[in-house]
């Protein structure tokens, strides 16, 4: 997994990443970095956020959440093609972690206010994505045509 994670930062919207000179001693001359206000997470950070959010719920084989197995009182909102739900989720300011269905695409940390103007580009990156903020998780599953928001109970 560590060999694959984050290898396709080039799939992120150009409004979120840019090419920069790689740190001294790296085998490559250039690397992808987050633009101001956007931080690309390394594998350990990604795993920490995933454990605090996504992994608290039962999952299907494809990694999406098995919502039918989630306690009903945790599901805040579930709807088909819920663009307004996504807008409401990121409208409140605060840190937001975005994780995609493919581990080759690095997860990012940014302020919700930074995500709002980029939302259509963010949704175009991958068919499945999760947005996590303290106390809540949103899953957008393009294959199923659903957007679901759940409360995340801190353990």
């Amino acid at each position: 997994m560590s060999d694959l994670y984050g290898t396709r930062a080039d799939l992120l919207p150009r409004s979120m990443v840019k090419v920069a000179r790689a740190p001294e001693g790296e085998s490559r001359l250039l690397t992808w970095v987050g633009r101001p206000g956007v931080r690309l997470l390394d594998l350990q950070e990604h795993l920490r956020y995933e454990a605090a959010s996504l992994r608290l719920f039962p999952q299907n084989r494809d990694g999406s959440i098995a919502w039918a197995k989630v306690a009903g009182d945790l599901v805040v909102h579930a709807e088909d093609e819920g663009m307004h739900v996504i807008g409401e989720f990121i409208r409140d300011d605060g840190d937001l972690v975005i994780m995609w269905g493919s581990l080759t695409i690095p997860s990012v940390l940014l302020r919700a206010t930074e995500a709002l103007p980029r939302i259509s580009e963010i949704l175009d990156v991958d068919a499945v994505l999760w947005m996590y903020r303290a106390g809540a998780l949103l899953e957008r599953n393009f294959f199923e045509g659903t957007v679901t928001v759940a409360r995340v109970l801190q353990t």
Side-chain angles (χ1 to χ4, degrees), residues 92-142:
D92 294 332
D93 196 21
D95 287 341
L96 184 67
V97 175
I98 303 173
M99 299 172 274
W100 283 270
S102 171
L103 284 175
T104 61
I105 304 168
S107 296
V108 298
L109 173 72
L110 69 165
R111 302 290 295 175
T113 54
E114 293 290 324
L116 196 53
R118 300 175 168 115
I119 194 59
S120 63
E121 295 174 304
I122 290 169
L123 294 175
D124 284 344
V125 171
D126 197 31
V128 178
L129 70 75
W130 299 275
M131 294 183 189
Y132 169 67
R133 63 175 335 123
L137 177 70
L138 178 145
E139 179 185 76
R140 183 275 201 136
N141 189 322
F142 179 80

Side-chain angles (χ1 to χ4, degrees), residues 13-85:
R14 295 299 177 264
S15 65
M16 296 176 77
V17 293
K18 64 182 179 179
V19 175
R21 187 175 300 277
E24 188 80 26
E26 293 262 333
S27 60
R28 299 175 297 182
L29 292 176
L30 301 173
T31 190
W32 290 98
V33 296
R35 290 195 180 270
V38 178
R39 187 162 63 86
L40 304 182
L41 301 181
D42 65 25
L43 178 59
Q44 294 308 313
E45 292 169 313
H46 164 82
L47 292 173
R48 190 172 68 243
Y49 282 112
E50 187 180 80
S53 61
L54 181 60
R55 297 287 174 222
L56 298 177
F57 297 94
Q59 291 181 280
N60 296 312
R61 295 187 76 199
D62 67 357
S64 64
I65 296 173
W67 291 110
K69 297 178 182 176
V70 174
D73 62 332
L74 291 180
V75 177
V76 175
H77 197 94
E79 147 173 345
D80 295 343
E81 300 297 331
M83 275 305 293
H84 72 281
V85 175

